[in-house]
mmCIF file of all heavy atoms in Angstrom:
data_model
loop_
_atom_site.group_PDB
_atom_site.id
_atom_site.type_symbol
_atom_site.label_atom_id
_atom_site.label_comp_id
_atom_site.label_asym_id
_atom_site.label_seq_id
_atom_site.Cartn_x
_atom_site.Cartn_y
_atom_site.Cartn_z
ATOM 1 N N LEU V 1 112.961 71.443 -14.399
ATOM 2 C CA LEU V 1 112.807 69.988 -14.481
ATOM 3 C C LEU V 1 114.095 69.274 -14.084
ATOM 4 O O LEU V 1 114.068 68.271 -13.364
ATOM 5 C CB LEU V 1 112.415 69.571 -15.903
ATOM 6 C CG LEU V 1 110.969 69.723 -16.300
ATOM 7 C CD1 LEU V 1 110.784 69.437 -17.786
ATOM 8 C CD2 LEU V 1 110.087 68.807 -15.475
ATOM 9 N N VAL V 2 115.206 69.784 -14.574
ATOM 10 C CA VAL V 2 116.506 69.211 -14.250
ATOM 11 C C VAL V 2 116.695 69.175 -12.733
ATOM 12 O O VAL V 2 117.135 68.168 -12.169
ATOM 13 C CB VAL V 2 117.638 70.010 -14.944
ATOM 14 C CG1 VAL V 2 118.987 69.685 -14.353
ATOM 15 C CG2 VAL V 2 117.631 69.743 -16.434
ATOM 16 N N ASN V 3 116.345 70.266 -12.059
ATOM 17 C CA ASN V 3 116.494 70.330 -10.604
ATOM 18 C C ASN V 3 115.566 69.350 -9.892
ATOM 19 O O ASN V 3 115.970 68.705 -8.924
ATOM 20 C CB ASN V 3 116.263 71.755 -10.106
ATOM 21 C CG ASN V 3 117.378 72.688 -10.528
ATOM 22 O OD1 ASN V 3 118.510 72.275 -10.744
ATOM 23 N ND2 ASN V 3 117.054 73.965 -10.674
ATOM 24 N N ILE V 4 114.341 69.222 -10.363
ATOM 25 C CA ILE V 4 113.387 68.289 -9.755
ATOM 26 C C ILE V 4 113.912 66.855 -9.834
ATOM 27 O O ILE V 4 113.800 66.087 -8.884
ATOM 28 C CB ILE V 4 112.005 68.409 -10.433
ATOM 29 C CG1 ILE V 4 111.364 69.750 -10.075
ATOM 30 C CG2 ILE V 4 111.093 67.244 -10.044
ATOM 31 C CD1 ILE V 4 110.132 70.089 -10.904
ATOM 32 N N PHE V 5 114.494 66.498 -10.974
ATOM 33 C CA PHE V 5 114.993 65.139 -11.184
ATOM 34 C C PHE V 5 116.437 64.947 -10.706
ATOM 35 O O PHE V 5 117.024 63.901 -10.913
ATOM 36 C CB PHE V 5 114.882 64.755 -12.665
ATOM 37 C CG PHE V 5 113.493 64.374 -13.075
ATOM 38 C CD1 PHE V 5 112.587 65.340 -13.489
ATOM 39 C CD2 PHE V 5 113.084 63.056 -13.033
ATOM 40 C CE1 PHE V 5 111.299 65.003 -13.873
ATOM 41 C CE2 PHE V 5 111.796 62.703 -13.409
ATOM 42 C CZ PHE V 5 110.895 63.678 -13.829
ATOM 43 N N ARG V 6 116.985 65.961 -10.080
ATOM 44 C CA ARG V 6 118.371 65.936 -9.599
ATOM 45 C C ARG V 6 119.356 65.561 -10.717
ATOM 46 O O ARG V 6 120.306 64.814 -10.520
ATOM 47 C CB ARG V 6 118.522 65.004 -8.401
ATOM 48 C CG ARG V 6 117.920 65.600 -7.158
ATOM 49 C CD ARG V 6 118.159 64.762 -5.956
ATOM 50 N NE ARG V 6 116.992 63.895 -5.794
ATOM 51 C CZ ARG V 6 116.970 62.776 -5.142
ATOM 52 N NH1 ARG V 6 118.056 62.344 -4.560
ATOM 53 N NH2 ARG V 6 115.878 62.071 -5.044
ATOM 54 N N ALA V 7 119.085 66.104 -11.880
ATOM 55 C CA ALA V 7 119.992 65.950 -13.018
ATOM 56 C C ALA V 7 120.889 67.185 -13.068
ATOM 57 O O ALA V 7 120.811 68.033 -12.172
ATOM 58 C CB ALA V 7 119.178 65.806 -14.307
ATOM 59 N N LYS V 8 121.722 67.290 -14.077
ATOM 60 C CA LYS V 8 122.613 68.439 -14.210
ATOM 61 C C LYS V 8 122.645 68.921 -15.654
ATOM 62 O O LYS V 8 122.580 68.121 -16.582
ATOM 63 C CB LYS V 8 124.030 68.070 -13.790
ATOM 64 C CG LYS V 8 124.183 67.768 -12.317
ATOM 65 C CD LYS V 8 125.641 67.628 -11.960
ATOM 66 C CE LYS V 8 125.949 67.379 -10.530
ATOM 67 N NZ LYS V 8 124.976 67.467 -9.533
ATOM 68 N N VAL V 9 122.756 70.228 -15.814
ATOM 69 C CA VAL V 9 123.000 70.807 -17.130
ATOM 70 C C VAL V 9 124.514 70.767 -17.313
ATOM 71 O O VAL V 9 125.257 71.323 -16.499
ATOM 72 C CB VAL V 9 122.482 72.255 -17.221
ATOM 73 C CG1 VAL V 9 122.854 72.872 -18.559
ATOM 74 C CG2 VAL V 9 120.983 72.306 -17.000
ATOM 75 N N ILE V 10 124.982 70.113 -18.377
ATOM 76 C CA ILE V 10 126.429 69.992 -18.569
ATOM 77 C C ILE V 10 126.935 70.763 -19.783
ATOM 78 O O ILE V 10 128.144 70.882 -19.961
ATOM 79 C CB ILE V 10 126.882 68.512 -18.640
ATOM 80 C CG1 ILE V 10 126.188 67.773 -19.783
ATOM 81 C CG2 ILE V 10 126.639 67.821 -17.315
ATOM 82 C CD1 ILE V 10 126.727 66.384 -20.046
ATOM 83 N N ASP V 11 126.001 71.264 -20.607
ATOM 84 C CA ASP V 11 126.414 72.080 -21.739
ATOM 85 C C ASP V 11 125.264 73.006 -22.125
ATOM 86 O O ASP V 11 124.105 72.596 -22.133
ATOM 87 C CB ASP V 11 126.799 71.210 -22.948
ATOM 88 C CG ASP V 11 127.357 72.050 -24.087
ATOM 89 O OD1 ASP V 11 128.354 72.764 -23.861
ATOM 90 O OD2 ASP V 11 126.777 71.994 -25.187
ATOM 91 N N VAL V 12 125.613 74.248 -22.414
ATOM 92 C CA VAL V 12 124.618 75.240 -22.812
ATOM 93 C C VAL V 12 125.030 75.816 -24.155
ATOM 94 O O VAL V 12 126.174 76.239 -24.328
ATOM 95 C CB VAL V 12 124.523 76.379 -21.764
ATOM 96 C CG1 VAL V 12 123.524 77.426 -22.210
ATOM 97 C CG2 VAL V 12 124.163 75.826 -20.396
ATOM 98 N N ALA V 13 124.107 75.787 -25.095
ATOM 99 C CA ALA V 13 124.305 76.435 -26.394
ATOM 100 C C ALA V 13 123.186 77.459 -26.557
ATOM 101 O O ALA V 13 122.261 77.517 -25.750
ATOM 102 C CB ALA V 13 124.278 75.407 -27.513
ATOM 103 N N LYS V 14 123.269 78.245 -27.609
ATOM 104 C CA LYS V 14 122.281 79.304 -27.823
ATOM 105 C C LYS V 14 120.848 78.770 -27.891
ATOM 106 O O LYS V 14 119.921 79.374 -27.368
ATOM 107 C CB LYS V 14 122.632 80.069 -29.102
ATOM 108 C CG LYS V 14 121.774 81.274 -29.330
ATOM 109 C CD LYS V 14 122.259 82.048 -30.526
ATOM 110 C CE LYS V 14 121.358 83.241 -30.722
ATOM 111 N NZ LYS V 14 122.070 84.453 -30.978
ATOM 112 N N ASP V 15 120.675 77.596 -28.521
ATOM 113 C CA ASP V 15 119.324 77.064 -28.693
ATOM 114 C C ASP V 15 119.142 75.632 -28.182
ATOM 115 O O ASP V 15 118.205 74.930 -28.562
ATOM 116 C CB ASP V 15 118.910 77.150 -30.150
ATOM 117 C CG ASP V 15 119.885 76.423 -31.060
ATOM 118 O OD1 ASP V 15 120.935 75.950 -30.571
ATOM 119 O OD2 ASP V 15 119.591 76.320 -32.260
ATOM 120 N N SER V 16 120.059 75.172 -27.316
ATOM 121 C CA SER V 16 119.922 73.816 -26.759
ATOM 122 C C SER V 16 120.627 73.702 -25.416
ATOM 123 O O SER V 16 121.495 74.506 -25.082
ATOM 124 C CB SER V 16 120.483 72.776 -27.735
ATOM 125 O OG SER V 16 121.883 72.887 -27.816
ATOM 126 N N LEU V 17 120.228 72.668 -24.675
ATOM 127 C CA LEU V 17 120.877 72.307 -23.412
ATOM 128 C C LEU V 17 121.205 70.827 -23.469
ATOM 129 O O LEU V 17 120.428 70.031 -24.015
ATOM 130 C CB LEU V 17 119.951 72.553 -22.215
ATOM 131 C CG LEU V 17 119.549 73.979 -21.896
ATOM 132 C CD1 LEU V 17 118.483 73.983 -20.807
ATOM 133 C CD2 LEU V 17 120.755 74.781 -21.448
ATOM 134 N N THR V 18 122.334 70.453 -22.899
ATOM 135 C CA THR V 18 122.659 69.047 -22.756
ATOM 136 C C THR V 18 122.623 68.723 -21.275
ATOM 137 O O THR V 18 123.232 69.422 -20.460
ATOM 138 C CB THR V 18 124.043 68.710 -23.351
ATOM 139 O OG1 THR V 18 124.043 69.073 -24.739
ATOM 140 C CG2 THR V 18 124.338 67.227 -23.223
ATOM 141 N N LEU V 19 121.893 67.661 -20.944
ATOM 142 C CA LEU V 19 121.658 67.282 -19.560
ATOM 143 C C LEU V 19 122.294 65.939 -19.260
ATOM 144 O O LEU V 19 122.428 65.086 -20.133
ATOM 145 C CB LEU V 19 120.153 67.182 -19.294
ATOM 146 C CG LEU V 19 119.282 68.278 -19.884
ATOM 147 C CD1 LEU V 19 117.823 67.943 -19.712
ATOM 148 C CD2 LEU V 19 119.619 69.604 -19.244
ATOM 149 N N TRP V 20 122.635 65.766 -18.008
ATOM 150 C CA TRP V 20 123.165 64.503 -17.491
ATOM 151 C C TRP V 20 122.246 64.056 -16.377
ATOM 152 O O TRP V 20 121.936 64.838 -15.471
ATOM 153 C CB TRP V 20 124.582 64.734 -16.966
ATOM 154 C CG TRP V 20 125.197 63.575 -16.254
ATOM 155 C CD1 TRP V 20 125.939 62.580 -16.819
ATOM 156 C CD2 TRP V 20 125.164 63.290 -14.850
ATOM 157 N NE1 TRP V 20 126.364 61.702 -15.850
ATOM 158 C CE2 TRP V 20 125.891 62.128 -14.628
ATOM 159 C CE3 TRP V 20 124.573 63.918 -13.754
ATOM 160 C CZ2 TRP V 20 126.060 61.556 -13.374
ATOM 161 C CZ3 TRP V 20 124.739 63.352 -12.501
ATOM 162 C CH2 TRP V 20 125.474 62.185 -12.312
ATOM 163 N N VAL V 21 121.781 62.818 -16.440
ATOM 164 C CA VAL V 21 120.949 62.280 -15.359
ATOM 165 C C VAL V 21 121.447 60.882 -15.011
ATOM 166 O O VAL V 21 121.793 60.093 -15.889
ATOM 167 C CB VAL V 21 119.445 62.281 -15.726
ATOM 168 C CG1 VAL V 21 119.147 61.412 -16.918
ATOM 169 C CG2 VAL V 21 118.588 61.895 -14.526
ATOM 170 N N PHE V 22 121.512 60.626 -13.728
ATOM 171 C CA PHE V 22 121.944 59.338 -13.199
ATOM 172 C C PHE V 22 120.842 58.820 -12.290
ATOM 173 O O PHE V 22 120.384 59.542 -11.404
ATOM 174 C CB PHE V 22 123.244 59.518 -12.391
ATOM 175 C CG PHE V 22 123.658 58.277 -11.644
ATOM 176 C CD1 PHE V 22 124.288 57.247 -12.306
ATOM 177 C CD2 PHE V 22 123.412 58.156 -10.287
ATOM 178 C CE1 PHE V 22 124.677 56.113 -11.624
ATOM 179 C CE2 PHE V 22 123.794 57.021 -9.597
ATOM 180 C CZ PHE V 22 124.430 55.992 -10.259
ATOM 181 N N GLY V 23 120.372 57.615 -12.543
ATOM 182 C CA GLY V 23 119.332 57.078 -11.675
ATOM 183 C C GLY V 23 118.753 55.795 -12.208
ATOM 184 O O GLY V 23 119.297 55.180 -13.124
ATOM 185 N N SER V 24 117.641 55.429 -11.637
ATOM 186 C CA SER V 24 116.960 54.216 -12.078
ATOM 187 C C SER V 24 116.419 54.445 -13.494
ATOM 188 O O SER V 24 116.225 55.581 -13.921
ATOM 189 C CB SER V 24 115.813 53.875 -11.130
ATOM 190 O OG SER V 24 114.819 54.863 -11.202
ATOM 191 N N GLN V 25 116.174 53.357 -14.169
ATOM 192 C CA GLN V 25 115.659 53.446 -15.531
ATOM 193 C C GLN V 25 114.318 54.182 -15.546
ATOM 194 O O GLN V 25 114.064 54.994 -16.442
ATOM 195 C CB GLN V 25 115.517 52.046 -16.119
ATOM 196 C CG GLN V 25 115.232 52.027 -17.589
ATOM 197 C CD GLN V 25 115.230 50.612 -18.141
ATOM 198 O OE1 GLN V 25 114.855 49.659 -17.453
ATOM 199 N NE2 GLN V 25 115.660 50.468 -19.372
ATOM 200 N N SER V 26 113.481 53.959 -14.548
ATOM 201 C CA SER V 26 112.170 54.626 -14.513
ATOM 202 C C SER V 26 112.319 56.128 -14.303
ATOM 203 O O SER V 26 111.583 56.917 -14.911
ATOM 204 C CB SER V 26 111.274 54.012 -13.435
ATOM 205 O OG SER V 26 111.865 54.139 -12.164
ATOM 206 N N LYS V 27 113.267 56.542 -13.478
ATOM 207 C CA LYS V 27 113.508 57.983 -13.267
ATOM 208 C C LYS V 27 113.968 58.630 -14.564
ATOM 209 O O LYS V 27 113.463 59.679 -14.973
ATOM 210 C CB LYS V 27 114.552 58.193 -12.178
ATOM 211 C CG LYS V 27 115.015 59.631 -12.032
ATOM 212 C CD LYS V 27 116.204 59.733 -11.091
ATOM 213 C CE LYS V 27 116.826 61.101 -11.144
ATOM 214 N NZ LYS V 27 117.997 61.230 -10.289
ATOM 215 N N ASN V 28 114.927 58.011 -15.219
ATOM 216 C CA ASN V 28 115.459 58.570 -16.464
ATOM 217 C C ASN V 28 114.392 58.615 -17.553
ATOM 218 O O ASN V 28 114.288 59.592 -18.294
ATOM 219 C CB ASN V 28 116.677 57.773 -16.920
ATOM 220 C CG ASN V 28 117.840 57.894 -15.953
ATOM 221 O OD1 ASN V 28 117.789 58.637 -14.978
ATOM 222 N ND2 ASN V 28 118.890 57.149 -16.209
ATOM 223 N N THR V 29 113.562 57.580 -17.628
ATOM 224 C CA THR V 29 112.482 57.548 -18.608
ATOM 225 C C THR V 29 111.459 58.646 -18.327
ATOM 226 O O THR V 29 110.951 59.281 -19.252
ATOM 227 C CB THR V 29 111.809 56.157 -18.612
ATOM 228 O OG1 THR V 29 112.802 55.175 -18.932
ATOM 229 C CG2 THR V 29 110.678 56.078 -19.607
ATOM 230 N N ALA V 30 111.179 58.878 -17.044
ATOM 231 C CA ALA V 30 110.224 59.930 -16.673
ATOM 232 C C ALA V 30 110.736 61.310 -17.090
ATOM 233 O O ALA V 30 109.989 62.122 -17.643
ATOM 234 C CB ALA V 30 109.951 59.899 -15.173
ATOM 235 N N LEU V 31 112.031 61.564 -16.857
ATOM 236 C CA LEU V 31 112.604 62.846 -17.258
ATOM 237 C C LEU V 31 112.554 63.007 -18.781
ATOM 238 O O LEU V 31 112.157 64.056 -19.293
ATOM 239 C CB LEU V 31 114.040 63.005 -16.760
ATOM 240 C CG LEU V 31 114.768 64.279 -17.210
ATOM 241 C CD1 LEU V 31 114.028 65.536 -16.758
ATOM 242 C CD2 LEU V 31 116.199 64.286 -16.712
#
């Protein structure tokens, strides 16, 4: 999903991921 939305994984933990997304409000809301 991150790749489809051209976002980035910026932190990886054992049971979570933190993502960064830059874009229009509608794109971010969709993700």
Side-chain angles (χ1 to χ4, degrees):
L1 280 173
V2 165
N3 291 333
I4 290 169
F5 282 87
R6 287 185 266 158
K8 293 189 178 351
V9 175
I10 59 171
D11 185 57
V12 178
K14 187 175 179 135
D15 57 354
S16 69
L17 295 172
T18 302
L19 317 172
W20 173 90
V21 62
F22 172 79
S24 66
Q25 190 175 33
S26 60
K27 171 189 169 182
N28 295 355
T29 301
L31 176 59

